[in-house]
Amino acid sequence: MKDSYEELTDLALEARREVVRMIGGLGVGHVGGCLSIVEAMIYLYYREMNIKPEQPDWPDRDRFIMSKGHAGPILYTMLGLRGYFSKDLFATLNRPGTHLPSHCDMRLTIGVDMTAGSLGQGLSCAIGMALAARMDKKDYRVFCVVGDGEQQEGQVWEAAMYAASQKLDNLVLLIDDNGMQIDGVTDDINSVRPLEKRWGAFGWATIAINGHNFREIERAFDFAGKTTGKPTAIVMNTIKGKGISIAENKCSSHNMPLTAEQTAEALRELQ
Amino acid sequence: MKEQQEMRAVYCATMMEMAEKDNRIVSVQADLMGGHGMKPFAERFPERSFNVGVAEANMACIAAGLATTGKIPFIHSFATFSTRRCFDQIAVSICYAKLKVCIIGSDPGVGAELNGGTHMALEDVAIMRVLPGMTIFEPVDSVQLKAALPVLVAQEGPVYIRLYRKAAESVFQRGYQFRPGKADILKDGEDVAIIASGLCVHEALMAAEKLERDGIKASVLNIHTVKPIDTDAIIRAARETGTIVTVENHSIIGGLGSAVAETLAEGCPVPLMRVGVRDRFGEVGKQDYLMRAFGITAADIEAAARKALRDKC
């Protein structure tokens, strides 16, 4: 019998296959930034978040915001796997009239809590939700994923200051520190590191982990769950395009073409 | 005659009245809470009042997040900063996401006075007007503001409210009924129609009185909601008078004048004179100086109306 981590690992493989099929079916998409956060998304949607897929608008649900909105396909994969909608929808990604656009749209996709796409805005929106929870004396939590390059947007730090100032311990930020952005290596373009120190200096509880290791992810969420009086930033060391050699650790995987042959090869790698 | 109360005092009092009955109403500020007269609100509803500091982009998106949970947040800053400073946040996180956020832009146009050009919003209506789903409201006085706020809160979608903070010239009497999307016909006349918004309405009425002394009958309409605009009222005025003057405390590019021009061009083309700020930035000055400098006084409206009458022939 498989243990919990093996189950999660199988799910991660399945999720990667779905992302590759979804984007490969179309021929182009944001492969790199979807594959770098697969494990975090699996853990959130299968272990951590208090959600009811059969009741997507349950008022007391935990909220999730994909601030790096271009990673829509991995969020859709989670929602499809968890039963928010049929997996048949995956094949409609970015097709005319689709409910699954490149960037997350709360008005189009069941289970998406916030629209995103223009980088840097999601954490502020997450703060609004976290404040609402506190106002309504509800114990739901808000989870938000930002990219590493995204933190070059000044608004992220406006939000960082205010979340700490408001002591929002119902807010958890996951940073996809894959070290790459569209034009190259993040450290070469405009470094956002050292992330733990920066977020710590802004008043957040911080923890750095290997973002592809479920044991470490579990440890990070345990840490966040026990933190009081401040929001938590989980700095996830990740690999862009993780799992398929055509994309892995390549800046070009941000938004890349994927031919039928490449898709088939990638799916073989993900068996 | 000037009203006794400042607009911001009436704004805060109305907000508090609404908030007593509706716990969804939330105030979000960016270090101008006092400037917007909202300290009493914060004292009465501390748990529903937030001040994010000097961070308008953050304010706009925090409001969007609040709105996803059913709250009705009001965000506040000078009209320059609550619109153009966080335009993309309003476009994406509020309008594109179809969230109900009420955006207060204070000290529009000449209202910025001694804060000068950097603070003088002459383009805020233009940039808000182009956003799908945005309602744009500009009260003339506190009577209209008080009557309109509950209606604007009750309707769906984001609202931009252009709020003059000081005491306004009194135009509407107690008992005024605010009709959403419907122009107020303040004066009938068949020679020329003057269509005005905000503090220019009072100037328009003075101009109409002056014209009347010379036997020229001008109608005066207040467009309080430039989007969605009252197309019927504008076309009716064009048909009845055959010539139109618009007046606004804003650039003639993209604001009321443009909206009326678009309406007329498609519905009833007649001569049009646009009185407003002519493609320039603001400057430091008291309000009466600025109104003269921008050419938006009663005398400017009167001259434009006479020109519009000549154009009709």
Side-chain angles (χ1 to χ4, degrees):
Chain A
M1 188 170 153
K2 289 178 178 177
D3 70 16
S4 170
Y5 297 117
E6 284 171 327
E7 276 175 29
L8 293 172
T9 303
D10 288 348
L11 281 167
L13 259 183
E14 186 183 351
R16 283 197 165 85
R17 285 194 296 269
E18 293 293 1
V19 168
V20 167
R21 276 193 210 107
M22 210 185 296
I23 294 174
L26 191 71
V28 64
H30 294 97
V31 173
C34 283
L35 297 186
S36 59
I37 55 171
V38 169
E39 283 78 11
M41 294 298 288
I42 292 283
Y43 199 91
L44 274 170
Y45 275 85
Y46 279 89
R47 291 285 185 272
E48 188 66 19
M49 281 171 48
N50 188 22
I51 48 177
K52 292 182 180 173
E54 70 285 4
Q55 193 188 342
D57 57 355
W58 178 38
D60 295 346
R61 72 190 183 281
D62 284 350
R63 266 67 170 179
F64 175 78
I65 297 179
M66 183 69 86
S67 188
K68 41 173 267 180
H70 53 273
I74 184 61
L75 175 55
Y76 308 149
T77 300
M78 290 304 114
L79 297 172
L81 292 179
R82 287 302 320 266
Y84 282 80
F85 48 75
S86 164
K87 288 194 280 182
D88 294 344
L89 266 191
F90 291 166
T92 70
L93 179 77
N94 280 340
R95 300 301 207 282
T98 188
H99 283 267
L100 305 182
S102 261
H103 297 87
C104 305
D105 187 330
M106 63 187 287
R107 300 299 180 193
L108 280 182
T109 314
I110 292 167
V112 168
D113 290 320
M114 186 65 213
T115 295
S118 182
L119 292 174
Q121 300 187 16
L123 184 56
S124 303
C125 300
I127 290 173
M129 295 177 188
L131 289 172
R134 196 169 69 186
M135 239 183 290
D136 294 340
K137 299 184 171 49
K138 294 193 168 187
D139 60 2
Y140 66 78
R141 294 196 292 162
V142 185
F143 298 88
C144 177
V145 169
V146 297
D148 60 333
E150 182 179 6
Q151 293 161 100
Q152 292 157 350
E153 290 282 4
Q155 188 183 343
V156 172
W157 302 99
E158 292 182 10
M161 275 184 272
Y162 195 62
S165 174
Q166 288 288 313
K167 302 180 172 54
L168 292 176
D169 50 17
N170 56 351
L171 174 62
V172 179
L173 178 69
L174 295 99
I175 300 165
D176 178 21
D177 186 18
N178 61 41
M180 293 177 183
Q181 57 187 116
I182 297 175
D183 273 346
V185 173
T186 309
D187 278 343
D188 293 342
I189 291 170
N190 183 6
S191 180
V192 296
R193 292 171 176 157
L195 287 168
E196 262 189 285
K197 280 191 180 168
R198 287 194 188 192
W199 286 91
F202 273 76
W204 288 56
T206 61
I207 182 168
I209 58 163
N210 173 349
H212 300 300
N213 182 307
F214 283 114
R215 283 184 172 79
E216 293 198 24
I217 293 171
E218 182 173 57
R219 183 166 59 85
F221 280 120
D222 284 349
F223 169 77
K226 287 175 187 144
T227 297
T228 56
K230 43 171 82 172
T232 299
I234 302 173
V235 181
M236 305 190 301
N237 185 342
T238 60
I239 295 167
K240 193 155 189 162
K242 167 84 171 168
I244 62 173
S245 51
I246 192 172
E248 194 166 296
N249 222 9
K250 290 180 179 149
C251 293
S252 57
S253 72
H254 176 81
N255 190 14
M256 65 185 289
L258 215 50
T259 65
E261 296 75 35
Q262 289 165 336
T263 302
E265 174 56 27
L267 289 173
R268 271 194 294 278
E269 290 179 310
L270 293 169
Q271 290 309 310
Chain B
M1 202 166 75
K2 286 251 196 244
E3 291 184 314
Q4 287 184 338
Q5 275 193 298
E6 289 197 323
M7 294 279 269
R8 61 184 144 191
V10 174
Y11 169 68
C12 181
T14 312
M15 286 289 285
M16 288 173 71
E17 270 175 41
M18 293 192 298
E20 292 286 358
K21 290 179 234 152
D22 187 344
N23 64 11
R24 298 172 301 167
I25 290 173
V26 176
S27 161
V28 190
Q29 303 281 346
D31 202 34
L32 285 170
M33 184 194 292
H36 289 91
M38 284 290 278
K39 279 187 176 161
F41 184 99
E43 282 158 16
R44 173 68 186 86
F45 304 104
E47 74 292 350
R48 283 197 258 159
S49 183
F50 301 98
N51 195 335
V52 305
V54 191
E56 294 79 11
N58 197 29
M59 170 173 69
C61 290
I62 286 174
L66 285 163
T68 65
T69 69
K71 306 292 177 201
I72 302 177
F74 279 68
I75 65 173
H76 305 75
S77 190
F78 293 138
T80 41
F81 309 134
S82 67
T83 61
R84 70 179 189 219
R85 177 85 195 189
C86 47
F87 182 72
D88 186 54
Q89 285 75 13
I90 293 172
V92 175
S93 288
I94 296 175
C95 289
Y96 185 72
K98 297 190 176 75
L99 289 167
K100 171 86 192 173
V101 174
C102 301
I103 302 159
I104 301 293
S106 62
D107 286 4
V110 297
E113 291 201 307
L114 300 186
N115 273 331
T118 56
H119 287 54
M120 203 162 283
L122 299 171
E123 69 293 295
D124 53 320
V125 172
I127 61 176
M128 291 295 103
R129 199 161 73 85
V130 79
L131 293 172
M134 181 67 86
T135 294
I136 301 172
F137 168 71
E138 180 171 10
V140 171
D141 63 13
S142 70
V143 173
Q144 191 180 47
L145 173 68
K146 189 175 165 60
L149 274 175
V151 179
L152 296 170
V153 164
Q155 73 179 37
E156 281 190 15
V159 186
Y160 174 56
I161 299 171
R162 219 175 179 233
L163 183 67
Y164 184 72
R165 289 189 297 159
K166 295 172 192 154
E169 293 288 346
S170 171
V171 169
F172 294 101
Q173 310 307 314
R174 192 180 290 187
Y176 163 72
Q177 292 289 316
F178 175 74
R179 295 176 307 152
K182 296 288 174 201
D184 297 304
I185 315 293
L186 298 172
K187 193 172 183 316
D188 289 320
E190 61 274 9
D191 295 329
V192 55
I194 305 172
I195 300 176
S197 59
L199 54 81
C200 291
V201 171
H202 178 253
E203 299 293 317
L205 287 167
M206 286 199 298
E209 269 179 39
K210 199 89 180 291
L211 289 164
E212 198 158 24
R213 278 180 228 143
D214 290 344
I216 299 168
K217 292 192 171 56
S219 66
V220 178
L221 282 75
N222 167 224
I223 296 282
H224 49 68
T225 303
V226 70
K227 187 185 178 186
I229 201 162
D230 187 351
T231 307
D232 292 345
I234 293 166
I235 289 177
R236 202 179 314 119
R239 290 210 175 110
E240 286 171 3
T241 66
T243 193
I244 302 278
V245 176
T246 59
V247 201
E248 63 197 302
N249 172 28
H250 183 276
S251 171
I252 56 166
I253 301 171
L256 175 68
S258 290
V260 170
E262 291 155 16
T263 305
L264 293 176
E266 288 183 349
C268 182
V270 296
L272 168 69
M273 289 291 293
R274 290 174 298 160
V275 175
V277 183
R278 306 192 79 81
D279 199 20
R280 56 159 293 184
F281 283 109
E283 63 180 292
V284 165
K286 299 294 272 183
Q287 191 168 306
D288 54 353
Y289 163 78
L290 290 169
M291 291 185 75
R292 286 197 305 276
F294 293 158
I296 57 172
T297 65
D300 297 303
I301 300 166
E302 186 193 338
R306 290 182 193 278
K307 168 86 168 45
L309 263 177
R310 288 197 297 276
D311 288 349
K312 185 158 71 159
C313 305

